[in-house]
Amino acid sequence: MFIMPIQPVSDGYFTIQSISGQGYLDGRNPEHSNPLLTHRNPTNDHYLHWRFEVVDDHLAIRSRSGNRYIDGRNSEHSDPLLTNRNPQGDHYLQWKIFPVA
């Protein structure tokens, strides 16, 4: 499994940066259910920190700030959500990471 250009920040957390727009994935406060992209410095910004957890041979991506997982939803939706559901057995919360050339 290849996990770059994900940037480590601290304590097993990473930032996730868009290649096209250079923005960082923002997990926001727990009361928000939609992630955002921002251009803030991720070094000490817990809203931009994510943890990767192995679940059912895939990865669940958990926000440090809201302690919620990215929900990829079904094919009828184009925008992800953040949820506090358990990722075990929940394929909507499980991800694969691939290298880009």
Side-chain angles (χ1 to χ4, degrees), residues 24-38 40 45-50 62-68 70 82:
Y24 294 96
L25 191 60
D26 184 335
R28 308 184 73 195
N29 289 324
E31 65 268 10
H32 296 287
S33 62
N34 54 333
L36 298 175
L37 289 174
T38 184
R40 297 190 312 266
D45 190 336
H46 287 190
Y47 295 104
L48 309 183
H49 296 184
W50 299 86
R62 182 187 283 206
S63 165
R64 185 176 201 168
S65 61
N67 203 34
R68 301 193 324 157
I70 298 178
L82 297 171

Side-chain angles (χ1 to χ4, degrees), residues 6-18:
I6 300 165
Q7 303 173 20
V9 273
S10 68
D11 302 330
Y13 287 92
F14 298 82
T15 60
I16 302 173
Q17 185 177 32
S18 166

Side-chain angles (χ1 to χ4, degrees), residues 41-56:
N41 181 332
T43 303
N44 293 310
D45 190 336
H46 287 190
Y47 295 104
L48 309 183
H49 296 184
W50 299 86
R51 181 181 296 278
F52 296 89
E53 301 173 4
V54 177
V55 177
D56 302 334

Side-chain angles (χ1 to χ4, degrees), residues 52-88:
F52 296 89
E53 301 173 4
V54 177
V55 177
D56 302 334
D57 295 323
H58 295 98
L59 292 175
I61 306 170
R62 182 187 283 206
S63 165
R64 185 176 201 168
S65 61
N67 203 34
R68 301 193 324 157
Y69 295 95
I70 298 178
D71 182 341
R73 306 179 78 188
N74 64 36
S75 60
E76 296 175 15
H77 302 280
S78 61
D79 53 331
L81 293 177
L82 297 171
T83 182
N84 60 4
R85 293 194 322 265
N86 183 339
Q88 190 76 34

